[in-house]
Amino acid sequence: MKLELIKYTCARCATSFDAPALGEDAYGEFLLRSKNGEMAYLNAFMDLTYKEVDNLLSSHPKASVLQPLERAKILRRIYGGLACDLDSEMSPFEIDALPLCPSCGSQQMASWEFKNPPEILDVPVSAVTHNCWSMLSDSEKLKLLDARLAIL
């Protein structure tokens, strides 16, 4: 997958480092990361679970009263841990999670910027999977969504 390098500066230790990300023009596409630094790709237009979770959220009593932008923020916040399979070390993937600082391991960044001129890398990134989610009944999916919304 073609990814663009971004220069990050860690908020914890001030280390500057480069890490791959989707380009600025990636609309409806997400690079999910886990706390272990693993990455997975999601095309929200092609992935049926993204729309499914969006529909569940839209009809949920707690979220249906929210403005669309607020509901979209919640969807992005809960989606990875709710509907995506875990990484190889059993940690959830998260949409918009930042990379790990190679020095201290933090995902808190003080700043980041796309390199100019752009530096493109070809990085092997698998599509996110949903095996566990797809084995759940509709009522089990709703219970999981309820539990996630309760802790927001």
Side-chain angles (χ1 to χ4, degrees), residues 53 56-64 66 70-71 74-75 77-78 82 142-152:
V53 174
L56 289 172
L57 191 60
S58 295
S59 61
H60 192 280
K62 185 174 180 179
S64 63
L66 300 173
E70 288 303 310
R71 201 167 48 246
I74 290 173
L75 173 62
R77 199 160 145 204
I78 67 170
L82 184 69
L142 284 171
K143 285 180 187 175
L144 279 177
L145 178 62
D146 286 340
R148 291 299 236 130
L149 291 175
I151 59 173
L152 289 182

Side-chain angles (χ1 to χ4, degrees), residues 49 52 80-86 90 129-137 140-141 144:
T49 63
E52 179 184 18
L82 184 69
C84 300
D85 292 333
L86 302 174
M90 305 309 287
T129 59
H130 312 285
N131 297 319
C132 291
W133 177 259
S134 65
M135 293 177 13
L136 299 175
S137 67
E140 289 170 322
K141 291 174 181 179
L144 279 177

Side-chain angles (χ1 to χ4, degrees), residues 59-113:
S59 61
H60 192 280
K62 185 174 180 179
S64 63
V65 296
L66 300 173
Q67 294 295 318
L69 182 59
E70 288 303 310
R71 201 167 48 246
K73 287 179 185 177
I74 290 173
L75 173 62
R76 288 171 67 161
R77 199 160 145 204
I78 67 170
Y79 176 76
L82 184 69
C84 300
D85 292 333
L86 302 174
D87 75 2
S88 66
E89 296 183 31
M90 305 309 287
S91 289
F93 285 102
E94 296 178 34
I95 291 179
D96 294 335
L98 296 171
L100 298 175
C101 171
S103 182
C104 72
S106 173
Q107 283 184 295
Q108 301 296 316
M109 299 299 142
S111 65
W112 57 90
E113 63 183 344

Side-chain angles (χ1 to χ4, degrees), residues 1 22 28-32 39-43 47 125-128:
M1 164 175 268
L22 293 171
E29 296 177 276
F30 302 100
L31 192 61
L32 289 75
M39 298 184 298
Y41 171 74
L42 168 70
N43 182 327
D47 190 304
V125 179
S126 298
V128 70

